[in-house]
Amino acid sequence: FELIAPNDAGRDLWQRLVAGGAAPAGLGARDTLRLEAALPLHGNDITPATNPVEAGLGWAVAWDKGDFLGAYVLKRVRAEGPARRLAGFEVAGRGIPRSHQTILSAGAAVGEVTSGTFSPTLQKGIGMGYVPAGLSKVGTALTIDVRGTMAEAQVVARPFYKPAG
């Protein structure tokens, strides 16, 4: 959980939570858990330059609630299919993808990592990034340029990890 409280309540709230058994975790832990669940982060995976269809968030749009700003364009993208899609991928071997690293296919740059890390749960590098729609299908081979080392990757279904139950 991420809690927001008034400054004057913060110390007491913190002490009560820890005394009750809560385990403190920093932003790094939160970001790893977020990525394992494939939850997009605003500013990384979704920005004003992305749309909900290509981000896989079309379920969050009230398509049948009448007109809204951008409705015509979004409905057209939905009907025709987006030119690019946010794909999740796993890295084979030891490579750890990071934001802004290049995604390649057949040696050509096709996208950029928007979020990436080492998943302690899966014991491998995982990430997301926008690629041409045709390269977003599960099983598609990609390469990630991890600081000059080419790391083989494969598009996988999201979320990366889903706890049982």
Side-chain angles (χ1 to χ4, degrees):
F1 295 91
E2 185 172 346
L3 301 176
I4 300 172
N7 286 340
D8 58 350
R11 178 174 287 165
D12 182 56
L13 177 60
W14 176 265
Q15 291 171 344
R16 287 174 181 238
L17 288 169
V18 171
L27 291 177
R30 185 223 46 193
D31 198 49
T32 298
L33 293 170
R34 170 203 63 88
L35 187 51
E36 287 180 340
L39 299 174
L41 179 63
H42 194 276
N44 285 43
D45 309 302
I46 52 175
T47 71
T50 58
N51 70 62
V53 178
E54 66 190 7
L57 299 172
W59 57 268
V61 177
W63 298 104
D64 59 349
K65 290 218 173 177
D67 210 15
F68 55 88
L69 187 61
Y72 171 77
V73 173
L74 285 180
K75 288 178 181 179
R76 188 181 78 225
V77 170
R78 183 181 183 210
E80 295 173 2
R84 65 182 192 155
R85 290 191 183 274
L86 183 62
F89 58 85
E90 293 181 347
V91 174
R94 299 181 55 174
I96 301 173
R98 300 287 184 201
S99 294
H100 306 295
Q101 292 176 337
T102 302
I103 301 172
L104 302 103
S105 175
V110 295
E112 180 177 276
V113 176
T114 55
S115 288
T117 194
F118 176 77
S119 165
T121 305
L122 302 172
Q123 290 294 299
K124 61 179 77 174
I126 60 172
M128 296 191 296
Y130 287 92
V131 296
L135 296 176
S136 68
K137 293 177 178 55
V138 171
T140 300
L142 299 171
T143 304
I144 312 301
D145 183 347
V146 179
R147 292 176 278 144
T149 300
M150 298 301 127
E152 298 304 315
Q154 183 175 35
V155 176
V156 297
R158 295 180 289 162
F160 299 97
Y161 173 75
K162 190 172 184 178

